[in-house]
Amino acid sequence: MAELLFETYGVRSVAFGVDAVFSYKYNQLHGICEKDGLAICPGFTTTHVIPFVDGEPVYKGCCRTNIGGYHITDYLKQLLSLKYPHHMARFTWEKVEDLKMEHCYIAPDYALEAQLFQKGGKEAEDKTRCWQLPWVPVPTEEPPSEEEIARKAAIRERQGQRLREMAEAKRSSRINELENQLHGLEFLLQQLGQVQEEDIPSFLSETGYASKQEIELTLTKVTQSLRKAKGEPKPEQAENEEKADSCTSDKYPLINVPDNMLTPDQLKEKKRQIFLKTTTEGRQRAKQKRVEEELERERKTQQDEERRLENPQLYLEQMHTKYKELYEKIELRKRLKTNGGHTNGSNSGGVGRGERLNAAQRERMRLLTTAAFDRGKGEDTFGAKDEDWQLYKLMGKDNDDDDDGADEDEAELARVSSRLQEIDPTFVPKLEPTASQPTITEVPHVRPLTKEDFQIVLGVERFRCPEILFHPNLIGIDQVGLDEMTGVSIRRLPSKDKALENRLTSSVFMTGGCSLFPGINERLEAGIRMLRPCGSPIKVARALDPVLDAWRGASLYAANSRFHQQTFSRTDYYEKGEDWLRGYQVRYTL
């Protein structure tokens, strides 16, 4: 510093001093401290204890630790960042510094204070501080009013009526079309009955049909379609079956003929006709089943609509109850599959789905490995007996008997959910897994943010952070605290005088920004009392202005008339060198 000032900037003279000494001298003029005393200055990055004898600092008894206000602020910033990771951007250095100076304090007994906050209660609540961050409430959606629900229900009713009218019009058009087609086929059969045998091929070629049987089969299909469109039962089912049988006998003439009466070519043709007949009948049965299912669905829908019109409120409650029962039933079946009978979701002691599959695989391996040696002689005779092939049935056996009604329940649940969405605007169906969507065991629930989510609560952090002044080991620094530093400083004094030690402890002076913490004087006095003999006089005083008194003391020192006699000039620098400067000690005359 001296080299830079003298050689670069050409300064004429320089005086060096210690901030704690300037503050002590300034407060000594105002009667805050005596000539003999200890100056304790917890600064920004370090803490010093300087003993004063006859008004002058004794630097040989000085003690220092690398703890200061910087470490307290940094410790508080770390604690808040760990406690509120979603608000880390709010914890700027300047804001944490303000929180430290505004809310932190020194606990009289750290352990008792921590137990107080651990137990909770009114006293701990009173000592807790809250910092409210900017927060804008999320606009809440009000539930629809009765008028809105009634209006939506009326709209749905009109839409449903319109759809029913369109369906009725389409049904009437379809019925008319089928009736015209039926009359045309009946008229065609009447004309075909009046045509002579040799003119039938030419007559059929004009109609587009290959034979009379094809016309009759088409007539049967049109009749069934017309009956289905009208929703009529089947009183003439026996007659239709007889017609179908007659048509079948005409279309497949070789089916009922014994094989011993047929030639090889006819046998092949008979097999082909049997295959065609079986395929046709299977398609007809499947089509008839679909028709019956559609009629059953329409019947259930009509019954539901009648029940809803009779008592809408009761019908809505019943539908909600049915939806809940079906959903719980399906979920229970899934949990049983997953947890092997443990519905609470725990796999302890149960066999899950993966374990069941592994057990089935082990059973297959056991059957395969023992099949070849079940004769007891080690000979591979598998397949020699018919019962050996039963192993394939055992290996391919599916034991999931609880899946029999799964499809029906899921289909019914989908129908009830669709119906509730139509009649209840407030109904929200639960998420159901589909084939393209993986099964979700738990739907993540995100609650709306509230005012409490934007509050920074300062509890134990208020006294935990400044506690490092007395216990630096809390942040991993193996050094002594403020109270022990006074004992170290007294032991470093050249003279061992009990009277001097009593005078020093009776005038303990606190300066620096960290001395502004509430309770630091009482805590320091209690700590020094634990180190000193019983009955020793102990008094701790704080500077008038711990932050600016060092500057005020330096200002008075520089304004003194003998200031120029106590400076280090450029001539001294060039003649005496830097070594003399290292041993230079200013005489503080205010």
Side-chain angles (χ1 to χ4, degrees), residues 66-285:
N66 298 323
I67 288 291
Y70 167 82
H71 302 87
I72 300 175
T73 305
D74 184 67
Y75 191 32
L76 179 60
K77 189 173 185 295
Q78 292 181 17
L79 292 180
L80 293 179
S81 299
L82 290 173
K83 189 175 181 181
Y84 301 100
H86 300 294
H87 299 299
M88 290 183 61
R90 302 281 185 176
F91 303 135
T92 61
W93 183 267
E94 293 77 10
K95 186 59 185 180
V96 177
E97 181 78 15
D98 294 340
L99 292 175
K100 177 191 75 173
M101 299 307 299
E102 184 177 355
H103 298 295
C104 289
Y105 66 93
I106 303 294
D109 190 313
Y110 179 76
L112 293 179
E113 196 80 3
Q115 292 179 3
L116 176 66
F117 275 83
Q118 186 178 7
K119 295 178 181 178
K122 184 67 169 57
E123 189 175 355
E125 185 178 351
D126 294 339
K127 291 185 177 181
T128 302
R129 300 293 181 266
C130 180
W131 172 31
Q132 181 64 55
L133 297 176
W135 172 71
V136 179
V138 179
T140 57
E141 296 183 1
E142 297 182 358
S145 60
E146 296 182 358
E147 293 78 5
E148 183 68 15
I149 295 176
R151 186 181 66 83
K152 291 183 178 180
I155 293 175
R156 285 196 302 273
E157 185 65 27
R158 289 195 297 269
Q159 292 176 348
Q161 183 64 27
R162 191 181 305 112
L163 291 175
R164 286 191 292 271
E165 292 175 356
M166 292 172 60
E168 184 63 26
K170 185 177 180 181
R171 175 172 168 272
S172 301
S173 176
R174 175 65 174 168
I175 290 174
N176 294 332
E177 181 180 352
L178 291 174
E179 287 179 348
N180 295 333
Q181 188 176 359
L182 181 62
H183 295 327
L185 290 172
E186 292 176 350
F187 179 73
L188 185 59
L189 286 175
Q190 292 177 3
Q191 287 185 338
L192 186 60
Q194 299 174 2
V195 176
Q196 297 181 2
E197 187 70 23
E198 61 274 9
D199 296 334
I200 289 178
S202 61
F203 178 80
L204 290 176
S205 62
E206 297 177 358
T207 61
Y209 292 97
S211 64
K212 180 181 179 181
Q213 291 80 8
E214 186 177 355
I215 298 176
E216 292 176 349
L217 182 61
T218 305
L219 178 63
T220 304
K221 292 181 179 179
V222 173
T223 304
Q224 292 177 355
S225 300
L226 181 61
R227 187 177 296 109
K228 175 185 173 182
K230 291 182 178 181
E232 297 177 354
K234 301 179 180 180
E236 300 177 357
Q237 184 174 4
E239 297 180 3
N240 294 334
E241 290 179 356
E242 292 178 359
K243 289 184 178 180
D245 293 340
S246 62
C247 293
T248 302
S249 61
D250 294 339
K251 190 172 183 180
Y252 309 109
L254 298 178
I255 290 180
N256 299 324
V257 179
D259 293 346
N260 55 7
M261 298 177 62
L262 299 176
T263 62
D265 295 337
Q266 290 177 339
L267 286 174
K268 292 181 180 180
E269 180 65 22
K270 179 180 178 180
K271 292 181 181 180
R272 190 183 70 82
Q273 291 180 5
I274 292 175
F275 174 76
L276 292 176
K277 178 186 176 183
T278 305
T279 307
T280 304
E281 290 177 351
R283 286 199 298 266
Q284 290 179 355
R285 285 194 298 270

Side-chain angles (χ1 to χ4, degrees), residues 345-551:
S346 175
N347 291 330
S348 59
V351 181
R353 186 173 184 85
E355 296 178 2
R356 289 199 303 170
L357 292 176
N358 293 335
Q361 292 174 359
R362 289 195 296 270
E363 180 64 18
R364 293 190 186 98
M365 292 299 298
R366 187 189 69 81
L367 293 171
L368 288 174
T369 53
T370 58
F373 303 98
D374 57 355
R375 303 296 183 267
K377 298 181 180 180
E379 298 178 1
D380 188 3
T381 59
F382 180 79
K385 298 181 180 181
D386 293 338
E387 56 266 20
D388 293 342
W389 300 99
Q390 297 297 324
L391 289 175
Y392 286 114
K393 295 183 179 180
L394 294 175
M395 287 187 291
K397 185 176 180 181
D398 189 4
N399 295 323
D400 292 338
D401 298 334
D402 55 347
D403 290 342
D404 294 340
D407 296 337
E408 292 79 1
D409 292 339
E410 291 180 359
E412 183 65 16
L413 180 65
R415 189 189 70 82
V416 174
S417 175
S418 176
R419 184 63 176 165
L420 282 173
Q421 288 178 344
E422 294 177 359
I423 63 177
D424 187 4
T426 62
F427 172 74
V428 178
K430 298 180 181 179
L431 185 61
E432 292 293 336
T434 59
S436 60
Q437 177 185 1
T439 302
I440 301 175
T441 57
E442 183 179 357
V443 180
H445 177 69
V446 181
R447 64 175 180 84
L449 297 177
T450 61
K451 182 180 180 181
E452 287 73 17
D453 295 324
F454 289 83
Q455 289 179 353
I456 306 301
V457 180
L458 298 175
V460 294
E461 296 84 6
R462 295 185 63 199
F463 63 90
R464 182 179 179 183
C465 296
E467 182 65 21
I468 64 176
L469 292 175
F470 295 89
H471 294 91
N473 57 343
L474 291 177
I475 58 173
I477 297 180
D478 189 15
Q479 295 180 358
V480 299
L482 285 181
D483 46 4
E484 297 183 49
M485 288 176 66
T486 60
V488 174
S489 181
I490 292 174
R491 289 195 300 269
R492 288 181 178 179
L493 290 175
S495 60
K496 306 298 181 183
D497 187 358
K498 298 295 182 181
L500 176 61
E501 293 179 3
N502 291 336
R503 290 197 303 271
L504 291 177
T505 56
S506 62
S507 179
V508 179
F509 174 74
M510 292 287 297
T511 185
C514 290
S515 62
L516 292 173
F517 287 121
I520 191 171
N521 288 6
E522 293 79 3
R523 175 68 179 276
L524 183 61
E525 183 177 345
I528 297 175
R529 195 175 302 278
M530 296 292 293
L531 300 175
R532 299 297 300 162
C534 182
S536 299
I538 300 173
K539 180 182 177 182
V540 180
R542 186 164 53 192
L544 296 175
D545 189 344
V547 178
L548 295 178
D549 279 356
W551 182 87

